[in-house]
């Protein structure tokens, strides 16, 4: 088992160009792994030598025969696990919560709405017409310092490679309130650039809301997409959504409608529904859906995916299946993101076997019919793909053949998120290191590169299951993970692997559990030389690890 795990880890961290693997559809859909009973090893034995990590990636994906996949085939991906016949699932029962599956409207009434679209539309002319009177000072009325700051900000905004930090720093150079010195077009672009982030956090929220406060101070109205982003930031700035974030989001929404007199749309209520669901406020989530119906608002793609996740959090696997069927029948395009939501929802509903079967069907369908490339893991590309699929469903709502062409070009292959869901499940619930090893091998089969979040989950597994007798989470295996991580970091071979807050926390916890305090301090000091944390991150990590170790590393220097 030691060799199997270490070899799988090394291969996952290596370049797929050097992994000479050939396989057929059968080997993808039904991978075979033979685990020999390992002899007892010395717990202090050094880990095996780790192969070098390569940087290039020219992996060739298996391409099966291109064939269109019917709507019924997508529905049947989950019907196999249902405890009811297909015709019974189609009928509505007397359960009052069954209305949350939201049967799809007729094609001629279905009008999907883009989520988080920060580009003002031409149809929003009434809102934009209100902004004409809020013109910035004329160039001749500006001081030279103000004019230089404005021009510099425009230049930073026009460069798509600039970070949010650079954009906000350039904006902060303007006198208060900075938005008063900008034209409407520049203000819209500023809001769009600082709203599009990979992961919402307290820092990104404070940046966005500071510009919102400047808009209020300058008495300049905001349009709906900017209010929607404000609601999203207040409700999703933390990994765990609590009642506090829900209250802040609702308060922002009331300010939007009652004070700013901006009408809410489908996107607004979709964001509120998502926040309420993740906070476990299911009654509130149902009230939000009822309000959408009362206002005759269309249910967009993102709301339907949220409803699938809602039923998963409530522990209702059959409702997850009905919501997925409603999603397909509404004419939406099924992709890997949707199937990942289904898998996560089934696991949360206590049906991990059903989730695994969905995963196997994804692989089988991908290898036998679609043959499209595995989707990129770049978060901007994933975000843009979601918006493209929304537009495709709208354009082809009355054109089944056109919709089918788009669906045939959409990839259903498992991606990094898929494997992260399953590895997290086995880390927290089952502790089956053997199954995690198999998942690492399957990542290699499909050309999914190793990522920092997988390392985090592995360290978490050792922190939970290590340090006890007869565990499969042994010291040599922990050392193999550690050596592999350092090799990747030193060579910069994998862009997705970098030292982050939770990697530090779980790595130190893992070594504290398996080795003791002294070794954990060494790991903390080593990671401290490779990490450049913000003041907030350093404070959070120090507080957490002080409880684990009792002190900061020597000198408390993080480099």
């Amino acid at each position: 088992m030691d060799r199997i795990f270490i070899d799988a880890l090394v291969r996952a961290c290596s370049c797929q160009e050097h992994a000479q693997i050939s396989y057929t559809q059968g080997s993808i859909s039904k991978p075979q792994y033979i685990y020999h009973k390992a002899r007892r090893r010395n717990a202090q034995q050094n880990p095996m030598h780790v192969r070098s990590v390569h940087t290039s990636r020219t992996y060739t994906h298996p391409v099966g025969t291109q064939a269109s996949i019917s709507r019924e085939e997508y529905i049947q991906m989950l019907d196999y696990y249902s405890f009811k016949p297909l015709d019974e699932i189609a009928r509505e029962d007397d359960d009052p919560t069954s209305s949350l599956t939201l049967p799809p409207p007729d094609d001629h009434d279905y009008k999907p709405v883009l989520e988080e679209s920060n580009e003002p539309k031409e149809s929003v002319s009434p809102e934009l017409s209100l902004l004409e009177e809020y013109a910035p000072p004329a160039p001749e009325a500006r001081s030279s310092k103000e004019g230089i700051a404005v021009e510099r900000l425009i230049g930073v905004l026009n460069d798509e490679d600039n970070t949010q930090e650079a954009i906000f720093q350039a904006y902060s150079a303007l006198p208060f309130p900075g938005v008063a010195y900008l034209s409407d077009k520049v203000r819209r672009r500023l809001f769009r650039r600082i709203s599009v982030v990979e992961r919402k956090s307290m820092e990104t929220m404070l940046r966005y809301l500071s510009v919102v406060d400047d808009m209020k101070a300058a008495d300049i109205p905001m349009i709906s997409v900017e209010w929607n982003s404000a609601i999203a930031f207040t409700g999703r700035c933390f990994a765990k959504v609590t009642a506090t974030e829900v209250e802040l989001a609702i308060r922002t929404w009331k300010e939007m409608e009652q004070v700013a007199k901006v009408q809410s749309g489908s996107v607004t209520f979709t964001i509120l529904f998502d926040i309420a669901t993740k906070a476990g406020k299911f009654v509130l989530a149902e009230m939000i859906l009822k309000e959408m119906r009362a206002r005759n608002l269309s249910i967009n793609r993102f709301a339907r995916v949220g409803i699938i996740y809602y039923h998963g959090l409530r522990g209702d696997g059959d409702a997850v299946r009905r919501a997925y069927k409603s999603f397909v029948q509404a004419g939406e395009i099924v992709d890997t993101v949707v199937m990942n939501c289904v898998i996560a929802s089934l696991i949360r509903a206590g049906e991990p076997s059903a989730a695994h079967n969905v995963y196997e069907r994804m692989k089988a369908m991908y290898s036998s019919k679609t043959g499209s490339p595995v989707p990129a893991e770049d978060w901007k590309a994933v975000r843009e793909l979601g918006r493209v699929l929304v537009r495709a469903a709208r354009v082809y709502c009355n054109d089944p053949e056109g919709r089918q062409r788009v669906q045939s070009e959409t990839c259903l292959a498992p991606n990094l998120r898929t494997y992260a869901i399953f590895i997290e499940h086995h880390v927290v619930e089952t502790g089956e290191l053997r199954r995690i090893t198999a998942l690492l091998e399957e990542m290699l089969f499909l050309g999914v590169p190793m990522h920092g979040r997988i390392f985090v989950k592995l360290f978490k597994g050792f922190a939970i299951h290590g340090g006890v007798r007869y565990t499969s989470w042994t010291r040599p295996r922990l050392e193999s993970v550690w050596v592999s991580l350092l090799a990747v970091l030193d060579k910069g071979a994998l862009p997705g692997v970098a030292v982050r807050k939770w990697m530090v926390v779980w790595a130190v916890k893992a070594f504290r559990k398996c080795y003791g305090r002294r070794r954990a301090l060494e790991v903390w000091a080593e990671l401290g030389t490779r990490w450049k944390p913000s003041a907030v991150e350093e404070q959070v990590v120090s507080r957490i690890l002080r409880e684990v170790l009792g002190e900061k590393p020597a000198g408390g220097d993080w480099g």
Side-chain angles (χ1 to χ4, degrees):
M1 179 64 184
D2 271 343
R3 184 174 184 83
I4 293 174
F5 172 74
I6 294 173
D7 187 59
L9 181 64
V10 170
R11 286 155 62 85
C13 292
S14 299
C15 170
Q16 280 73 20
E17 179 183 6
H18 296 77
Q20 300 297 329
I21 300 176
S22 61
Y23 51 92
T24 62
Q25 173 190 346
S27 65
I28 297 176
S29 59
K30 295 182 179 180
Q32 298 178 358
Y33 300 97
I34 300 175
Y35 298 97
H36 302 282
K37 186 175 181 180
R39 300 176 182 176
R40 186 177 298 277
R41 292 177 178 267
N42 185 346
Q44 302 297 332
Q45 182 176 347
N46 291 330
M48 300 179 62
H49 175 68
V50 179
R51 305 179 210 167
S52 59
V53 180
H54 306 281
T55 57
S56 58
R57 183 172 184 263
T58 58
Y59 185 77
T60 303
H61 302 284
V63 179
T65 303
Q66 289 277 357
S68 61
I69 304 174
S70 67
R71 181 177 298 185
E72 288 303 319
E73 286 183 279
Y74 281 103
I75 293 176
Q76 290 170 6
M77 290 184 71
L78 271 67
D79 284 343
Y80 177 79
Y81 325 110
S82 179
F83 298 103
K84 301 178 181 179
L86 183 63
D87 56 344
E88 290 185 24
I89 295 177
R91 293 196 299 266
E92 293 187 6
D93 51 31
D94 295 330
D95 185 354
T97 62
S98 64
S99 60
L100 292 178
T101 58
L102 291 177
D106 295 334
D107 285 343
H108 63 276
D109 292 330
Y110 181 59
K111 299 178 181 178
V113 181
L114 281 176
E115 184 190 29
E116 296 184 18
S117 175
N118 292 313
E119 299 287 353
K121 301 178 181 179
E122 294 298 329
S123 58
V124 195
S125 55
E127 270 185 325
L128 297 180
S129 63
L130 296 175
L131 303 174
E132 294 178 354
E133 58 184 289
Y134 298 95
E140 59 271 13
R142 299 174 184 164
S143 67
S144 59
K145 182 178 180 181
E146 295 167 354
I148 293 174
V150 170
E151 293 302 322
R152 181 175 182 276
L153 174 61
I154 293 174
V156 172
L157 288 173
N158 289 336
D159 187 350
E160 294 294 335
D161 294 331
N162 280 326
T163 63
Q164 276 207 340
E165 291 81 358
I167 293 172
F168 190 74
Q169 183 178 5
Y171 172 74
S172 300
L174 293 170
F176 176 82
V179 291
Y181 295 87
L182 306 177
S183 67
D184 174 64
K185 182 178 179 180
V186 176
R187 283 194 293 262
R188 302 283 83 80
R189 185 162 179 77
L190 172 65
F191 267 119
R192 187 185 69 82
R193 289 295 303 274
I194 64 175
S195 67
V196 179
V197 295
E198 179 178 7
R199 190 175 294 105
K200 292 179 174 60
S201 63
M202 180 180 292
E203 290 180 322
T204 58
M205 177 195 68
L206 292 177
R207 288 194 199 106
Y208 191 90
L209 294 186
S210 66
V211 180
V212 172
D213 289 339
D214 288 354
M215 294 286 283
K216 296 177 183 177
D219 197 24
I220 302 175
M222 294 163 51
I223 60 177
S224 59
V225 293
E226 294 159 0
W227 280 108
N228 291 339
S229 295
I231 296 172
F233 272 109
T234 56
R236 298 171 177 165
C237 60
F238 297 107
K240 184 178 181 179
V241 182
T242 66
T244 302
E245 285 74 52
V246 174
E247 182 180 353
L248 290 174
I250 295 296
R251 186 182 304 171
T252 306
W253 169 62
K254 288 183 177 180
E255 182 181 2
M256 169 186 176
E257 289 211 325
Q258 299 175 5
V259 179
K261 306 299 182 183
V262 176
Q263 190 70 21
S264 301
S266 296
V267 176
T268 310
F269 286 103
T270 298
I271 295 171
L272 290 172
F273 175 78
D274 178 71
I275 295 170
T277 297
K278 291 179 178 177
K281 305 295 182 181
F282 301 130
V283 175
L284 176 60
E286 184 177 354
M287 292 173 60
I288 292 170
L289 289 179
K290 290 181 178 178
E291 181 66 18
M292 291 184 70
R293 297 190 192 96
R295 298 190 183 200
N296 197 28
L297 295 174
S298 60
I299 306 299
N300 61 22
R301 172 187 179 86
F302 304 99
R304 293 184 184 279
V305 174
I307 291 170
I308 295 174
Y309 192 70
Y310 165 88
H311 288 301
L313 290 177
R314 290 180 64 243
D316 191 342
D318 282 346
V320 169
R321 297 178 180 91
R322 290 195 297 269
Y324 170 76
K325 180 180 179 181
S326 174
F327 179 94
V328 176
Q329 292 180 333
E332 298 290 353
I333 309 297
V334 179
D335 68 340
T336 301
V337 173
V338 176
M339 299 313 302
N340 284 345
C341 179
V342 171
I343 289 172
S345 301
L346 288 173
I347 290 177
R348 287 182 175 273
E351 299 186 30
S353 297
H356 180 73
N357 288 334
V358 173
Y359 163 68
E360 291 295 337
R361 287 199 168 193
M362 286 175 65
K363 293 190 295 181
M365 188 172 290
Y366 163 70
S367 62
S368 65
K369 294 192 175 182
T370 62
S372 52
V374 173
E377 294 299 330
D378 178 70
W379 65 273
K380 290 184 179 179
V382 173
R383 178 180 181 272
E384 182 60 28
L385 176 61
R387 300 173 65 184
V388 169
L389 295 181
V390 170
R391 290 194 292 268
R394 179 178 58 199
V395 171
Y396 296 111
C397 63
N398 294 318
D399 182 5
E401 293 183 0
R403 179 198 169 280
Q404 187 62 51
R405 288 194 300 271
V406 176
Q407 182 65 84
S408 299
E409 295 295 327
T410 304
C411 184
L412 277 182
N415 61 5
L416 175 65
R417 172 63 179 160
T418 314
Y419 291 104
I421 293 170
F422 280 111
I423 292 176
E424 175 73 11
H425 168 69
H426 290 297
V427 161
V428 176
E429 299 295 335
T430 70
E432 293 183 9
L433 189 60
R434 184 178 69 173
R435 185 63 192 122
I436 293 175
T437 303
L439 290 168
L440 291 175
E441 287 283 2
E442 291 178 19
M443 285 177 61
L444 176 67
F445 283 158
L446 288 180
V448 179
M450 192 67 168
H451 194 274
R453 73 176 71 171
I454 304 298
F455 277 108
V456 172
K457 295 181 188 305
L458 291 174
F459 286 129
K460 184 177 181 180
F462 285 99
I464 295 174
H465 305 290
V468 297
R469 297 182 67 182
Y470 309 119
T471 180
S472 58
W473 300 80
T474 60
R475 288 181 178 181
R477 292 169 188 162
L478 174 58
E479 287 290 350
S480 71
V481 175
W482 175 247
V483 172
S484 297
L485 172 63
L486 294 183
V488 172
L489 292 174
D490 288 340
K491 296 187 177 182
L494 299 173
V497 180
V499 179
R500 306 289 185 190
K501 176 176 65 177
W502 291 113
M503 181 180 289
V504 174
V505 170
W506 285 112
V508 174
K509 283 187 175 183
F511 279 92
R512 177 69 175 88
K513 181 75 174 294
C514 295
Y515 280 93
R517 182 171 175 274
R518 180 177 179 180
R519 182 75 175 99
L521 283 171
E522 294 175 357
V523 170
W524 192 2
E526 177 68 25
L527 290 175
T529 63
R530 302 166 182 269
W531 187 33
K532 302 294 182 181
S534 65
V536 175
E537 287 178 326
E538 182 176 357
Q539 182 180 6
V540 171
V541 171
S542 297
R543 176 179 55 80
I544 294 174
L545 295 186
R546 192 175 292 113
E547 300 174 359
V548 178
L549 302 175
E551 64 178 52
K552 294 182 68 174
D557 184 12
W558 291 90

